[in-house]
Amino acid sequence: MIPADCRVRRATLDDLPQLMGIWGAMQFPLDELSRRVTEFQVATGPAEEVLGAIGLQIAERQGMIHSEGFADFAMAEGLRPMFWERLHSVATNHGLVRLWTQEEAPFWSHCGLGKAGPEALEKLPAAWRGLGGGWLTLKLKEDIEEVISADREFALFMEAERQRTARTFGHARALKLLATLLALGLLLFVILGAIMLLRKNPQLLHP
């Protein structure tokens, strides 16, 4: 049963001894996680006892939920919604665009994290690509850099189209000018020809 005054907060170095006990029971890498203790959120009871913990590692404006553990797994079902609320808040505050996890509890799928397809896996940060498969992911918002990139590409496309249109109109104007000059030249040729013909044959003016 979850204590009524249970709360979830960021882990501190003071929590490390209790976290080491939870991580040891889960056979997590103690040395590695102990150096990353501030990645963790902890659920604590009325005496500040650590009831459970879960990590959120951040890379490339994305977050990885990892290393879920509980002092008593009978409390897991009650603590996970509290952890999720906290993790979602932290992700929002950090402006994260996507969450990832390899946690296998069905709860995370119920939160909206779905199996990552090939297209989503292309966005997996390089730091996590050596961790194997089985990824679940949730897109939190549009990546502003992707939006800016798309807008930039569209702007470049429109500029290229504008230049192409300008070149087309330029060519059309040049052809129109050439046609006009040719017509004027032909008209001048006809007039000069008529003048020369009349000079040689003035009787043509008198029928």
Side-chain angles (χ1 to χ4, degrees), residues 15 17 100 122 146 177-178 198 201:
D15 301 315
W100 300 84
E122 291 179 359
E146 290 184 0
L177 178 60
L178 179 60
L198 290 173
N201 302 283

Side-chain angles (χ1 to χ4, degrees), residues 32-52:
E32 179 184 347
L33 294 185
S34 64
R35 292 192 297 269
R36 296 160 51 190
V37 64
T38 53
E39 282 183 15
F40 282 81
Q41 305 297 320
V42 294
T44 60
E48 284 299 302
E49 70 275 22
V50 176
L51 307 176

Side-chain angles (χ1 to χ4, degrees), residues 108-172:
W108 302 108
S109 295
H110 297 159
C111 288
L113 284 89
K115 184 177 179 181
E119 184 177 351
L121 287 172
E122 291 179 359
K123 304 179 186 300
L124 183 68
W128 305 335
R129 291 181 181 176
L131 299 180
W135 288 102
L136 301 178
T137 188
L138 173 64
K139 185 176 183 179
L140 299 176
K141 64 179 183 178
E142 293 295 335
D143 188 338
I144 188 64
E145 293 180 0
E146 290 184 0
V147 173
I148 291 174
S149 177
D151 288 345
R152 186 181 298 115
E153 289 181 5
F154 180 73
L156 290 173
F157 170 77
M158 291 302 295
E159 177 62 19
E161 284 296 298
R162 187 191 67 77
Q163 293 179 3
R164 186 178 67 82
T165 301
R167 286 195 300 270
T168 299
F169 279 112
H171 293 158

Side-chain angles (χ1 to χ4, degrees), residues 74-102:
M75 294 186 288
E77 185 175 349
L79 290 177
R80 283 188 179 117
M82 299 175 63
F83 275 129
W84 173 242
E85 183 178 357
R86 173 71 177 180
L87 291 170
H88 196 276
S89 176
V90 172
T92 300
N93 291 340
H94 281 79
L96 303 188
V97 298
R98 185 179 289 273
L99 289 175
W100 300 84
T101 192
Q102 291 179 311

